[in-house]
Amino acid sequence: EGIGPCPLAACVLADFGADVITVCRAQGGHVQSQGDPVSRGKRSIGIDVKSSEGVAVLKRLVRQADIFLEPFRPGVVEKLGIGPEVLCTENPRLIYGRMTGFGQGGTEFSNMAGHDNNYIALAGILDFFRRGDERPFPPANFAGDYAGGGMSLAMGVLLALLERHRSGQGQVIDAAMIDGANYTALPLFKWAQTGFV
């Protein structure tokens, strides 16, 4: 299930009619669902993806799925045996959405954990959250996690579904919060160039 952007992306898809099944931890025979506002409209199933039995169950679910979203750092799902190479072989029409802070590779930050403030600072937008010469006051996690992450992932998935309608093939979406945050802040950068902010 994860926290932050991935559950929000799934919430957006559920709000617009998708049948969303959230894979949660099971503990003592009970599903450990977060039960927060972005869990609305979703069903939950407890699967131990660290076990071979759990991986087999997940693969059976994925064969019938349109979309699979995962919120882990690069390499985690590959170690579990549920990376895109495996699941997209099970279902070549699958849209496999990956949500990370810094993307799947290409930077020294890719394998690092991070938080909303890290993403918006490196994206260059934390500075917009200040008054005068004061130090920036980081906002709640809407800029990196939700706008930059969750909404970008949801949009990427929807665009991939449009492409699949044409090609018949699924694809992997690599949504990085740092990229999405930078993208959503483009109007602020433009205003900064003109001296407006």
Side-chain angles (χ1 to χ4, degrees):
E1 180 165 81
I3 58 172
C6 211
L8 176 67
C11 177
V12 170
L13 297 174
D15 283 351
F16 286 92
D19 181 15
V20 177
I21 301 173
T22 301
V23 175
C24 302
R25 292 185 178 109
Q27 193 170 35
H30 299 285
V31 173
Q32 299 296 307
S33 179
Q34 291 177 341
D36 59 19
V38 296
S39 295
R40 70 175 182 258
K42 304 176 196 175
R43 295 182 289 153
S44 297
I45 184 171
I47 299 177
D48 179 3
V49 295
K50 293 182 179 178
S51 72
S52 58
E53 297 84 6
V55 169
V57 169
L58 185 65
K59 286 180 180 179
R60 282 198 304 273
L61 285 171
V62 163
R63 287 182 198 127
Q64 305 301 315
D66 288 306
I67 301 161
F68 179 81
L69 303 179
E70 62 96 347
F72 302 107
R73 280 185 276 178
V76 170
V77 291
E78 285 79 4
K79 288 178 187 171
L80 295 171
I82 56 172
E85 298 81 12
V86 174
L87 297 187
C88 292
T89 300
E90 294 287 330
N91 178 355
R93 293 177 52 82
L94 184 68
I95 308 300
Y96 192 111
R98 307 190 86 169
M99 182 77 264
T100 62
F102 302 107
Q104 291 296 317
T107 76
E108 68 265 29
F109 302 111
S110 295
N111 290 318
M112 294 173 60
H115 300 283
D116 196 81
N117 293 341
N118 304 122
Y119 312 135
I120 65 174
L122 289 168
I125 61 175
L126 181 58
D127 199 52
F128 291 118
F129 295 95
R130 74 165 68 231
R131 286 189 219 148
D133 292 331
E134 294 177 5
R135 292 173 47 181
F137 187 79
N141 60 337
F142 74 89
D145 281 354
Y146 296 126
M151 295 306 290
S152 293
L153 178 59
M155 185 172 66
V157 163
L158 295 173
L159 292 170
L161 285 169
L162 285 174
E163 171 55 29
R164 187 181 74 181
H165 183 70
R166 286 192 280 265
S167 69
Q169 295 296 307
Q171 61 180 284
V172 177
I173 305 300
D174 177 12
M177 288 176 257
I178 190 170
D179 296 334
N182 185 276
Y183 192 75
T184 59
L186 285 177
L188 296 175
F189 291 122
K190 182 178 180 179
W191 294 335
Q193 288 175 338
T194 64
F196 184 72
V197 291

